[in-house]
């Protein structure tokens, strides 16, 4: 794959305009090459090849520079220089870089001058955007630091741990905002200004390891080592100070209700003003902080990738320029890139290291592998058996559909006696699965285009990492369900027409019900088969739609309710299932649904249910506003 396509594929879509415009610079270089070719300049492939071979032959007779690189040739003469790159600082403006092309008077030099001007514009755009984003993540790091202070204080308040025979909460002293502030973190005035902001995250920890190591040096007797460790531990406990609990006076933890009953309790007790904390609030706070750290770390990874890709793009375009013009300008320009903020800043790297250390310690219980798997999940592997199974079921569905059409026309079922009755009773039963399969095909198409245009739908919908379904998995489920449905229709027709099974009318009519029962059993199956996490996610969203005012409504709930508004006919078919098998005589393939006023009334009520869900969902926002006003 060419670098231009790979560069575009690796871009963050939200930052697409901030990347270097590689294609535009490449177009300018094509103009330079075209001009040099028309003027007969030695820039063609043949000339470049001959020049390169001659240059290689001449280089064989130059003085050896040494293996260690200490013996270097004389510095390049000023007349050999092509460009001069300098940083310009104007009053009231940010620093920007400007390139002076020294050979502008050469034939075709105006094309190269345009190239370097556009190159400077792109570099200044990239570096300004990078500085802006680094400032943003530093501000977010400060916010996470404050949140960690509150979380650690909440842990002390809820867990009430005992250290050294006394409760940590009793050791809290006003003025201390972290553990042994003078030992764990140096004073603010003495901190290295190059430290990242996350290095001031205040943690509850005991730094007895250093004392233990110092006390163990030079000792031989094992009992003496044990005594020294004990003394070091006691000495450390004397200086141990927990995080200040005063931060909790300004913190209110809002735990979203998970059941309708808890929602009602929150409404009733909304006027409660005392600041008390429970393990449930601590669990929710840790869950939110985990999500915040994962999201923040992902943003740091994107920012680091942005820096690397742009540096690589500048390197590629300058090497292409050298190849076309047979000059040696890339070294000077790339040295400037390396010395600039884009190439020399390590704030993002240090910030990532500090986030990793903090997350592993506080949210992974010191388990490095578990913490890194959460922060940096492995990409989901595409399995060949899924593609094979999807193709196999799709082929089976096509074959069954063709066989069904041939069977209907060969036996002239629609025009035979009992044909209309068959269509009035059996067709609505099986058409339910047709609507579901069609909907799944449309959803698979959505996922395909989301992935093609690099839309992080898993994050947007809140799927658990690594459990989201790709379009292949959705197509597999759709083709599998179509095989079951078409197989049921075909077997139903065969049993109806075969004289040996024609008398078993009850068994024939129970096939659609058995198929629906099988689908429901698979959906609610508690075992870890057939994408259990996705099935449970669907059930959870369906419950949130059913009890819309009593739950916090999220994007997946809105999305599902919108999808249900387009499945009105499928919901009416479910109503027909209840009427046909509950009040009709399915053994004789007759029903009284169409003549029942109750059925006709519910026929319109069922159509209004999805829209009623969408109407109730915004009311949850008013309910949360009421709770917020009650806590003021």
């Amino acid at each position: 794959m060419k670098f231009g396509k790979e560069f575009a594929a690796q871009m963050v879509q939200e930052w697409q305009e901030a990347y270097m415009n590689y294609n535009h610079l490449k177009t300018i270089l094509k103009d330079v090459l075209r001009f040099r070719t028309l003027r007969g300049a030695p820039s063609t492939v043949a000339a470049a090849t001959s020049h390169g071979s001659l240059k290689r032959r001449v280089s064989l007779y130059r003085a050896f520079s040494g293996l260690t690189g200490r013996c270097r040739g004389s510095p390049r003469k000023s007349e050999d220089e092509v460009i001069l790159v300098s940083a310009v600082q104007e009053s009231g403006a940010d620093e920007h870089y400007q390139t002076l092309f020294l050979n502008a008077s050469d034939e075709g030099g105006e094309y190269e001058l345009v190239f370097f001007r556009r190159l400077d514009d792109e570099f200044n755009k990239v570096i300004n955007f990078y500085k802006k984003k680094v400032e943003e993540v530093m501000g977010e790091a400060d916010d996470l630091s404050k949140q960690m202070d509150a979380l650690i204080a909440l842990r002390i308040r809820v867990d009430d741990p005992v250290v050294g025979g006394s409760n940590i909460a009793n050791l809290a002293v006003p003025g201390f905002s972290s553990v042994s502030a003078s030992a764990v973190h140096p004073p603010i005035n003495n901190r290295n200004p190059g430290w990242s902001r996350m290095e001031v995250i205040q943690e509850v920890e005991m730094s007895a390891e250093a004392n233990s190591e110092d006390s163990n040096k030079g000792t031989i007797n094992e009992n003496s080592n044990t005594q020294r460790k004990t003394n070091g531990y006691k000495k450390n406990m004397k200086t141990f100070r927990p995080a200040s609990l005063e931060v909790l006076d300004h913190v209110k933890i809002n735990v979203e209700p998970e059941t309708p009953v808890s929602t009602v309790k929150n409404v009733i007790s909304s006027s409660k003003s005392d600041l008390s904390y429970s393990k449930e609030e601590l669990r929710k706070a840790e869950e939110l902080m985990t999500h915040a750290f994962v999201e923040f770390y992902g943003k740091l990874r994107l920012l680091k990738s942005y820096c690397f890709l742009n540096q690589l793009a500048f390197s590629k375009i300058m090497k292409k320029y050298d190849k076309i013009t047979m000059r040696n300008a890339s070294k000077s320009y790339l040295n400037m890139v390396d010395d600039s903020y884009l190439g020399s800043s390590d704030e993002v790297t240090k910030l990532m290291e500090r986030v990793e250390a903090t997350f592993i310690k506080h949210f992974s219980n010191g388990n490095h592998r578990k913490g890194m798997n959460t922060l940096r999940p492995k990409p989901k592997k595409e399995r060949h058996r899924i593609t094979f199974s999807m193709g196999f079921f799709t082929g089976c569905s096509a074959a069954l559909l063709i066989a069904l059409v041939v069977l209907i026309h060969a036996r002239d079922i629609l025009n035979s006696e009992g044909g209309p009755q068959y269509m009035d009773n059996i067709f609505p039963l099986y058409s339910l699965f047709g609507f579901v399969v069609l909907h799944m095909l449309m959803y698979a198409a959505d996922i395909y285009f989301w992935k093609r245009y690099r839309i992080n739908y898993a994050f947007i919908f809140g799927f658990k990492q690594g459990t989201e379904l790709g379009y292949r998995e959705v197509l597999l489920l759709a083709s599998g369900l179509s095989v079951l449905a078409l197989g049921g229709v075909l077997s139903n027709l065969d049993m109806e027409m075969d004289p040996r099974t024609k008398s078993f009318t009850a068994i024939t009519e129970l096939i659609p019900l058995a198929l629906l029962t099988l689908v429901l059993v698979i959906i609610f199956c508690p075992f870890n088969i057939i994408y259990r996490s996705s099935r449970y996610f669907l059930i959870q969203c369906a419950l949130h739609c059913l009890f819309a005012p009593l739950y916090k409504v999220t994007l997946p709930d809105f999305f599902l309710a919108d999808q249900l508004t387009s499945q009105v006919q499928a919901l009416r078919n479910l109503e027909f299932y209840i009427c046909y098998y509950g009040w009709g005589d399915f053994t004789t393939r007759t029903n009284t649904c169409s003549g029942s006023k109750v059925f006709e009334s519910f026929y319109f009520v069922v159509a209004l249910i999805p829209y009623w869900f969408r109407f109730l969902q915004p009311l949850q926002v008013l309910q949360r506003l009421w709770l917020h006003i009650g806590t003021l």
Side-chain angles (χ1 to χ4, degrees), residues 578-599:
I578 298 174
C579 179
Y580 184 73
Y581 288 104
W583 288 277
D585 188 4
F586 64 90
T587 58
T588 60
R589 192 174 291 168
T590 58
N591 68 85
T592 59
C593 298
S594 58
S596 175
K597 293 184 178 181
V598 176
F599 179 82

Side-chain angles (χ1 to χ4, degrees), residues 156-177:
I156 297 175
R157 176 66 64 84
V158 174
D159 295 337
D160 195 18
V162 177
V163 177
S166 59
N167 294 336
I168 286 185
N170 297 332
L171 299 176
V173 178
F176 284 87
S177 58

Side-chain angles (χ1 to χ4, degrees), residues 89-96:
Q89 180 70 46
E90 297 180 357
S91 58
D94 296 333
E95 182 184 45
H96 66 278

Side-chain angles (χ1 to χ4, degrees), residues 48-65:
T49 304
S50 61
H51 180 81
S53 61
L54 178 61
K55 186 177 181 180
R56 285 193 295 271
R57 287 198 301 270
V58 173
S59 65
L60 295 176
Y61 304 103
R62 289 179 179 173
F64 184 57
S65 59

Side-chain angles (χ1 to χ4, degrees), residues 24 130 146 150 169 194 219 257 324 392 460 472 502 557 611 629:
H24 181 63
Y130 184 69
K146 297 176 183 178
T219 60
I324 291 175
F392 176 76
I460 294 174
R472 289 185 177 88
K502 192 173 182 178
D557 306 329
Y611 299 96
I629 295 175

Side-chain angles (χ1 to χ4, degrees), residues 99-114:
T99 303
L100 177 62
F101 181 55
L102 302 179
N103 296 343
S105 59
D106 294 349
E107 188 177 10
E110 60 273 10
Y111 291 98
E112 299 179 48
L113 187 61
V114 171

